[in-house]
Amino acid sequence: GAVVSQHPSWVICKSGTSVKIECRSLDFQATTMFWYRQFPKQSLMLMATSNEGSKATYEQGVEKDKFLINHASLTLSTLTVTSAHPEDSSFYICSADSGRYKDEQFFGPGTRLTVL
Amino acid sequence: AQTVTQSQPEMSVQEAETVTLSCTYDTSESDYYLFWYKQPPSRQMILVIRQEAYKQQNATENRFSVNFQKAAKSFSLKISDSQLGDAAMYFCAYRSQRDDKIIFGKGTRLHILP
């Protein structure tokens, strides 16, 4: 159990367009979801925390108007990269917290975004 | 703010040998969780082992064990009988009890030599 999926697994888009990435908890309800960004050969950097039904909390330095997060249900959170530019190209990973398994977050397989 | 430091960007070990990856952290909290995650080339994050800060006993999962020194804020990972499949990036991570955020170290790339 405790599977998290992400869609799409990879996406290529043109500069100026918006891209939506979905994160789903498949077999549990996620009270909290987290979005991370990982540049090549670097660590995961937390971008934001989203709780179902409330506004996301963004980490310092993350543009909330650039990275729109919606946690519409207990099994789905979306990250929309608006007006994407080449510097937004990265690997985006989500994780989900059930609130039941207090000490573990479950990670999605990630989405590779390439902006041309 | 909490920080996690992994001082070894890369390490190599001969297959079947033992290797230890280092991790130190800084926090003012007394209750927290520590983790080691493995990230293979697929980029999927895999939990290797977890440690609750209030537990003095070091966690063990098959060939993986930790040396948790709370006073020294040290949390090293020992991999015994290294296997080719252990080759990956390993991240040490800290999870706050206060806000559940996970902070990752910069990672150690582990190479297994056949």
Side-chain angles (χ1 to χ4, degrees):
Chain A
V3 177
V4 175
S5 70
Q6 279 184 242
H7 178 80
S9 56
W10 59 270
V11 57
I12 301 173
C13 69
K14 293 182 178 180
S15 185
T17 61
S18 294
V19 175
K20 180 184 285 189
I21 302 170
E22 293 185 349
C23 176
R24 292 181 184 273
S25 56
L26 299 185
D27 49 3
F28 67 100
Q29 292 185 326
T31 53
T32 307
M33 287 184 171
F34 302 85
W35 286 95
Y36 297 86
R37 185 173 182 177
Q38 186 179 31
F39 289 109
K41 298 185 179 181
Q42 293 191 24
S43 187
L44 283 74
M45 297 299 295
L46 180 64
M47 298 175 65
T49 302
S50 74
N51 293 290
E52 186 265 339
S54 61
K55 288 184 177 180
T57 303
Y58 291 82
E59 295 300 300
Q60 193 171 10
V62 177
E63 299 175 60
K64 57 184 67 177
D65 294 331
K66 157 73 79 174
F67 300 101
L68 300 179
I69 292 171
N70 185 288
H71 194 154
S73 76
L74 286 173
T75 59
L76 173 64
S77 176
T78 60
L79 167 68
T80 301
V81 183
T82 62
S83 187
H85 288 96
E87 57 265 30
D88 299 324
S89 298
S90 188
F91 195 69
Y92 293 88
I93 303 174
C94 73
S95 69
D97 187 341
S98 71
R100 177 180 176 184
Y101 305 100
K102 184 60 177 175
D103 58 347
E104 185 173 357
Q105 289 180 15
F106 301 96
F107 286 83
T111 296
R112 180 176 300 283
L113 170 63
T114 301
V115 184
L116 303 176
Chain B
Q2 296 86 14
T3 59
V4 178
T5 302
Q6 292 179 250
S7 58
Q8 305 152 315
E10 287 193 62
M11 290 195 73
S12 296
V13 64
Q14 209 74 37
E15 192 176 3
E17 296 296 307
T18 296
V19 64
T20 298
L21 308 184
S22 301
C23 173
T24 58
Y25 60 95
D26 190 27
T27 183
S28 59
E29 298 176 341
S30 59
D31 200 12
Y32 47 86
Y33 294 99
L34 295 167
F35 306 90
W36 279 97
Y37 284 93
K38 171 184 178 181
Q39 189 180 43
S42 68
R43 308 289 289 271
Q44 173 73 58
M45 296 293 283
I46 301 168
L47 178 64
V48 174
I49 199 165
R50 67 168 70 87
Q51 175 81 43
E52 294 94 332
Y54 67 87
K55 290 187 176 180
Q56 290 187 333
Q57 186 172 8
N58 289 323
T60 299
E61 289 286 343
N62 300 313
R63 299 183 294 108
F64 300 88
S65 61
V66 298
N67 183 1
F68 174 48
Q69 302 290 327
K70 190 173 184 179
K73 296 179 181 173
S74 171
F75 183 61
S76 61
L77 173 70
K78 185 172 81 172
I79 306 174
S80 304
D81 185 25
S82 297
Q83 300 175 0
L84 293 178
D86 295 334
M89 196 74 168
Y90 286 81
F91 292 100
C92 178
Y94 171 102
R95 177 171 179 164
S96 171
Q97 280 277 57
R98 179 174 49 83
D99 58 16
D100 293 333
K101 292 180 182 179
I102 292 182
I103 299 166
F104 289 90
K106 291 188 175 182
T108 297
R109 182 165 300 282
L110 179 64
H111 303 277
I112 309 295
L113 306 174

